């Protein structure tokens, strides 16, 4: 089954964690330090791969079935995100929702890379 990195409201304790279903938590980790982390319109987080000079963003990795991804998690994601592959801190890859590369109606982005955590950002707003 595919590994899925979550870094927003679908993480454990989050409002959308029910979208994970019974998928087991594999690990709590960070991304490799190659991502800018944004709050999109203040409503949800988004990773943007910038290569060198990014932040290591906190999240959780789940072992999800393709059915859970296709039927439940992905349909619940905002339009400003797309499915991509990211690099984790240990150099392995994982699926994740990333900032849509071209999206004309994307709300304003706030760079929250310094917090590197959606929960930390939410506690500050």
């Amino acid at each position: 089954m595919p590994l899925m990195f979550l870094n927003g409201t679908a993480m454990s304790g989050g409002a959308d964690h029910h979208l994970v279903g019974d998928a087991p938590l594999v690990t709590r980790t960070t991304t490799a330090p190659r991502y800018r982390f944004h709050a999109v319109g203040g409503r949800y987080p988004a990773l943007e791969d910038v290569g060198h000079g990014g932040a290591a963003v906190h999240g959780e990795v789940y072992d999800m079935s393709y059915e859970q991804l296709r039927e439940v998690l992905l349909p619940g994601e905002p339009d400003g995100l797309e499915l991509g592959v990211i690099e984790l801190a240990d150099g392995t890859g994982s699926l994740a929702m990333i900032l849509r590369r071209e999206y004309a109606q994307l709300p304003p982005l706030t760079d929250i890379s310094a917090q590197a955590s959606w929960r930390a950002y939410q506690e500050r707003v």
Side-chain angles (χ1 to χ4, degrees):
M1 290 196 284
L3 297 179
M4 182 69 180
F5 178 82
L6 301 175
N7 61 348
T9 61
M11 290 192 312
S12 59
D16 293 323
H17 185 66
H18 65 279
L19 299 175
V20 173
D22 61 358
L25 174 66
V26 174
T27 189
R28 289 180 175 86
T29 189
T30 64
T31 65
R34 58 178 299 144
Y35 300 93
R36 299 308 298 166
F37 196 42
H38 303 284
V40 182
R43 297 177 317 150
Y44 57 90
L47 291 169
E48 177 185 22
D49 191 347
V50 294
H52 299 291
V57 177
H58 296 270
E60 300 171 345
V61 176
Y62 288 86
D63 189 1
M64 300 192 81
S65 69
Y66 286 109
E67 180 182 16
Q68 187 73 16
L69 279 171
R70 181 183 64 247
E71 304 296 331
V72 182
L73 184 68
L74 295 180
E77 293 292 342
D79 288 344
L81 300 178
E82 64 186 8
L83 187 63
V85 178
I86 63 159
E87 182 182 357
L88 298 174
D90 66 2
T92 62
S94 176
L95 295 174
M97 298 308 293
I98 59 174
L99 185 65
R100 188 174 295 275
R101 292 170 199 199
E102 294 185 24
Y103 190 68
Q105 300 171 351
L106 192 63
L109 301 176
T110 302
D111 191 324
I112 60 171
S113 300
Q115 285 98 6
S117 163
W118 182 247
R119 289 182 177 146
Y121 168 74
Q122 290 289 283
E123 290 171 1
R124 298 185 95 193
V125 289

